[in-house]
Amino acid sequence: MNRDAIEDLLARMTLAEKLGQMTMSPAGGAKTGPVRGEATTEAIRAGEVGSLLNIWGKAATEGFQKLAVEETRLGLPLFFGVDVLHGHDTVFPIPIAEASAFDPDLWEKTARAAAAEAAADGADLTFAPMLDTARDPRWGRMAEGFGEDPLVGMRFAAAKVRGFQGGDLSSPAAIAATAKHFVGGGAALAGREYAAADMSDRTLHETYLPPFRVAIESGCAAVMAAFNSVAGVPMTANVPLLRGYLREKLGFDGVIMSDYAAIEELIDHGVAADRVEAAALALKAGVDIDMVSGVYLSALPEAISRGIADMRDIDAAVRRILALKMKLGLFDDPFRRIRATKPLPAIDLALEAARGAVTLLTNDGILPFADTVRRIAVVGPLADAKAEMVGPWTLAADPQQCASILEGLRAALPDCDIGFAPGVFIDGQDVGGIIEAQALCEAADLVILCVGEAANMSGEAASRANPGLPGRQQQLAEAVLASGRPVVAVLFSGRPLMVPFLAEKARALVAAWFLGAGAGRAVAEVLAGRVDPAGRLPVTWPRAVGQIPIHFSERPASRPLESDDPFTSKYIDTSNDPLFPFGHGLSYAKVRLDGLQLDRNEFKSGERIRVTVRAENLSSRPAVETVFLFSRDRVASFAPQVLELKDWAKVELAPGETATVAFTLDAEDLACLDAALTPRLEPGDFDILVGLSADRRSLLSARLRCRA
Ligand code: GLC
């Protein structure tokens, strides 16, 4: 099958068959939105369906594919799209947890493993990676992405596209990636799912678009338009951003699909009076595939007759869909993935990823706990909760693959007496179990308190106005802390939880997110000191909901809080500081940075700046540290962000070892966006900063002048 053959096919297709190719329908399988009917065998046989979503498994997919290729007039193969966000059979840490590893090789490896598993279940495309920059923990979908920083997002995007698609999209172990949700959902009003986003073009181009640009530069096969509107234009009908930016500016010639029923939801957005107008608007914006709503099939013929839809746009959409199926090898062999051999579960990789995501937030030295500890009380509703360890968005996975924290601890510490009491449920008001839990604590040498969210309290349609401990878990935590025994608190969540009291009162606080198959073992190994906690926060962790949105790269206030003058940008009831800054995470070792050096003190366009810093391991333990490189433009045409992430490097140090960490900055890496939102290097002074987090007070800094 080649481009000429596609043209030949197009010429033979009826309007209904063309609109069928533009229709993606559910067909049983996972429900990921309001149910609006499913593809029937009659519809598939009539050529009215081009792809199916969230149906997997050899038998199911083979049956549908046979129907399409053997019983339709033209025998056009379907493609199967499945949400493979952090694993298919084998569950990896949720993306926000995996981002904590700051390890693009790992990000690529888990995507590749997931692709092979999903492909062997019949998936040809995944609705991933999720590339929404997220700075609002009220928004449940923070769990699904890379966090708050666009540079992390760009590297995450490239790694995931490489991992899912590999070097040959027709390979039976490769699946097409879909960069989603284009764009701006992370800035939804008040962190509420599906709500409108409103931001400047400058912020859009600085913060939200870059991960999508890199995904497309990396060859991503598809893009999914977001549910939300941006500056009053719903993304599903957004001509400037879909046609103008994706197609014309970036030259994206892959498939653009709507999100679930989003084309019909243009009516709810108030920009379409009916399904006909909704279909016409989406087509005009360049949306090729209608996921679930069915309005392309049912309403575009009338839109054509009303003169508000153009047959050329339909043909262009069908060409892109057929080209995708060609790249996937589906014309040569529609069953190539369905009949592929299922790989063995990637349990070792899942454990590696889980180990890299465990993040130690506070530690007064209680961790790693001493060998003398014999009686451990494991308390809380997340302690023995396998099913929660998978986190949101695991469609095919069996939670039984996840060892619970209790199981992980008992396996790691067979000589310890490890008691368990849930105390309370994850949610709900029953406090009847607190007394038993407190009694267990009082008899223990150490308490491990496992609290947080259920897996379904983050992800889609899971915004929380009070993202703290749900139910009566805070009461349990207070009772456990009142026992007077040393308490290590382990948090499970899809977002930062507002728990300043735990940071203050527990002897140590660990972010364990949702770590998937490796959860129990990875957490136990870190608490026992067999693995050094290497996770570093990919998001700023607020102290209070009132600080949200909070992130390290804000623009300066007119009166920054740099003095105790009352007339400065601050709260009168809490600190401006987050509970934990971006990049924060402790290790059991102690690494000191010093000796920041630049190989020049001025530069001009086209030149490179070499930045070096010394990292010394002051401890008797091996250290793995993540060193961050930031910049700050001191004066620019537009108010420059107070800190911009430019690179990071992981460094491993033996006990007592000192190493030099080196970065290379291209001059153009320090460009800002001019009035036309085009990168431009401006003359003037820059700070180059290095540190172990985005806490500006802890950064080493050197001045550099641009002579542009
Ligand atoms: C959902 C989500 C999207 C997902 C799609 C298919 O509504 O917004 O992320 O890929 O539908 O399940």
Side-chain angles (χ1 to χ4, degrees):
M1 172 62 85
N2 56 29
R3 297 281 175 186
D4 293 342
I6 286 177
E7 291 307 317
D8 168 58
L9 250 182
L10 201 60
R12 289 188 286 137
M13 292 172 77
T14 64
L15 175 59
E17 286 166 336
K18 290 178 181 177
L19 300 180
Q21 287 302 302
M22 298 165 73
T23 299
M24 178 186 284
S25 301
K31 301 285 178 288
T32 55
V35 177
R36 297 169 175 245
E38 297 184 346
T40 62
T41 49
E42 292 71 26
I44 294 173
R45 194 174 285 123
E48 295 175 356
V49 179
S51 49
L52 294 176
L53 86 148
N54 287 334
I55 182 85
W56 63 88
K58 292 187 182 300
T61 52
E62 183 164 32
F64 284 118
Q65 192 66 295
K66 276 185 168 215
L67 193 57
V69 298
E70 295 171 4
E71 299 187 36
T72 60
R73 187 176 75 89
L74 294 172
L76 298 180
L78 299 166
F79 78 74
F80 295 87
V82 179
D83 285 291
V84 182
L85 215 71
H86 54 105
H88 182 66
D89 298 314
T90 307
V91 183
F92 299 113
I94 56 172
I96 189 79
E98 199 181 65
S100 308
F102 285 88
D103 184 349
D105 291 340
L106 173 71
W107 299 339
E108 179 175 346
K109 283 194 295 189
T110 58
R112 175 148 313 117
E117 290 183 354
D121 253 355
D124 302 296
L125 171 142
T126 181
F127 309 120
M130 190 270 206
L131 299 176
D132 295 276
T133 306
R135 297 169 165 184
D136 186 338
R138 294 171 296 182
W139 191 50
R141 306 199 81 163
M142 174 178 270
E144 303 176 35
F146 56 84
E148 74 178 55
D149 185 75
L151 178 66
V152 178
M154 290 190 267
R155 293 181 180 175
F156 191 81
K160 289 300 180 187
V161 169
R162 286 195 305 268
F164 285 130
Q165 299 190 168
D168 172 9
L169 201 46
S170 69
S171 158
I175 55 178
T178 304
K180 76 179 185 183
H181 309 84
F182 186 77
V183 67
L189 178 69
R192 193 163 14 92
E193 188 69 278
Y194 313 124
D198 223 329
M199 67 184 81
S200 67
D201 280 346
R202 179 166 299 280
T203 295
L204 194 59
H205 284 262
E206 283 174 350
T207 303
Y208 293 90
L209 290 175
F212 289 92
R213 171 173 55 76
V214 171
I216 286 160
E217 290 168 354
S218 304
C220 190
V223 170
M224 182 190 293
F227 284 120
N228 54 281
S229 59
V230 175
V233 183
M235 282 312 306
T236 308
N238 201 307
V239 174
L241 285 173
L242 294 181
R243 281 202 192 279
Y245 182 75
L246 284 185
R247 297 261 187 239
E248 290 155 23
K249 184 170 174 59
L250 297 188
F252 178 60
D253 64 354
V255 164
I256 295 176
M257 65 183 76
S258 77
D259 202 337
Y260 193 107
I263 296 180
E264 187 169 24
E265 290 168 3
L266 290 174
I267 298 170
D268 301 281
H269 275 288
V271 297
D274 56 29
R275 289 159 60 90
V276 175
E277 285 185 10
L281 284 171
L283 178 71
K284 182 162 174 263
V287 177
D288 301 319
I289 290 182
D290 166 12
M291 184 191 286
V292 171
S293 76
V295 294
Y296 270 4
L297 187 68
S298 61
L300 272 183
E302 184 177 339
I304 294 168
S305 56
R306 281 192 203 172
I308 56 174
D310 188 325
M311 200 61 221
R312 288 169 300 183
D313 291 336
I314 290 172
D315 285 348
V318 176
R319 274 193 197 93
R320 288 188 284 261
I321 295 163
L322 295 178
L324 174 61
K325 292 183 175 182
M326 179 178 73
K327 287 176 193 164
L328 286 164
L330 291 174
F331 286 109
D332 300 333
D333 175 3
F335 302 93
R336 62 180 52 232
R337 291 176 182 81
I338 294 168
R339 292 173 181 159
T341 305
K342 179 77 81 116
L344 293 171
I347 294 301
D348 290 347
L349 180 58
L351 179 58
E352 176 193 343
R355 283 169 172 158
V358 180
T359 304
L360 183 58
L361 300 175
T362 67
N363 182 23
D364 71 358
I366 188 73
L367 290 179
F369 52 72
D371 294 341
T372 52
V373 166
R374 280 288 166 271
R375 290 170 301 172
I376 298 175
V378 182
V379 171
L382 275 297
D384 193 25
K386 286 168 160 316
E388 306 303 340
M389 296 298 108
V390 297
W393 285 108
T394 43
L395 273 54
D398 175 2
Q400 290 309 309
Q401 67 185 275
C402 305
S404 70
I405 307 314
L406 179 63
E407 289 171 330
L409 285 165
R410 283 178 169 160
L413 305 163
D415 301 332
C416 282
D417 167 10
I418 299 177
F420 163 59
V424 294
F425 294 105
I426 292 173
D427 209 352
Q429 297 306 305
D430 182 349
V431 294
I434 290 182
I435 291 175
E436 177 204 358
Q438 198 166 20
L440 183 70
C441 295
E442 284 161 358
D445 303 324
L446 177 74
V447 177
I448 296 174
L449 173 65
C450 298
V451 287
E453 295 179 327
N456 65 8
M457 290 180 174
S458 62
E460 183 174 0
S463 294
R464 295 184 65 199
N466 299 296
L469 294 180
R472 302 301 286 270
Q473 295 185 58
Q474 170 129 359
Q475 187 173 337
L476 169 68
E478 286 163 356
V480 166
L481 289 164
S483 72
R485 310 308 298 147
V487 176
V488 170
V490 185
L491 291 175
F492 299 84
S493 63
R495 55 168 52 93
L497 297 180
M498 308 300 118
V499 289
F501 83 100
L502 275 182
E504 186 188 334
K505 294 189 170 28
R507 300 284 298 277
L509 182 62
V510 177
W513 307 106
F514 292 112
L515 298 175
R521 189 168 159 191
V523 171
E525 288 175 346
V526 167
L527 299 185
R530 295 174 194 164
V531 167
D532 196 67
R536 298 295 180 265
L537 292 179
V539 285
T540 301
W541 194 296
R543 162 186 318 276
V545 172
Q547 294 178 310
I548 294 171
I550 182 171
H551 56 92
F552 71 81
S553 57
E554 65 180 67
R555 295 192 201 289
S558 65
R559 293 184 184 171
L561 178 59
E562 289 164 354
S563 74
D564 54 9
D565 185 305
F567 297 96
T568 51
S569 175
K570 67 183 184 310
Y571 302 103
I572 59 171
D573 57 357
T574 193
S575 160
N576 287 12
D577 293 338
L579 195 58
F580 305 110
F582 172 94
H584 176 74
L586 305 176
S587 83
Y588 293 142
K590 174 73 181 150
V591 172
R592 177 178 62 198
L593 299 181
D594 66 17
L596 173 62
Q597 285 193 335
L598 310 182
D599 66 349
R600 66 193 65 217
N601 53 31
E602 63 179 46
F603 71 101
K604 57 182 183 297
S605 176
E607 292 185 338
R608 288 196 151 181
I609 304 121
R610 181 173 161 78
V611 182
T612 56
V613 67
R614 254 201 325 272
E616 181 181 2
N617 181 356
L618 303 173
S619 73
S620 58
R621 294 179 63 102
V624 177
E625 201 44 272
T626 303
V627 182
F628 297 95
L629 174 69
F630 299 96
S631 70
R632 178 174 187 174
D633 191 340
R634 298 304 312 186
V635 177
S637 304
F638 295 88
Q641 293 155 358
V642 297
L643 215 49
E644 293 180 60
L645 182 64
K646 294 300 174 186
D647 200 355
W648 70 80
K650 296 191 85 154
V651 59
E652 296 187 12
L653 296 168
E657 182 186 1
T658 297
T660 296
V661 182
F663 299 96
T664 300
L665 261 181
D666 289 329
E668 276 55 38
D669 290 338
L670 298 174
C672 62
L673 296 183
D674 65 13
L677 301 175
T678 305
R680 186 157 67 87
L681 185 62
E682 295 189 349
D685 286 354
F686 290 82
D687 289 339
I688 303 301
L689 309 103
V690 171
L692 300 181
S693 80
D695 177 358
R696 279 185 278 155
R697 287 168 297 226
S698 67
L699 296 177
L700 303 174
S701 178
R703 188 59 61 95
L704 187 63
R705 174 155 298 174
C706 175
R707 297 280 184 203

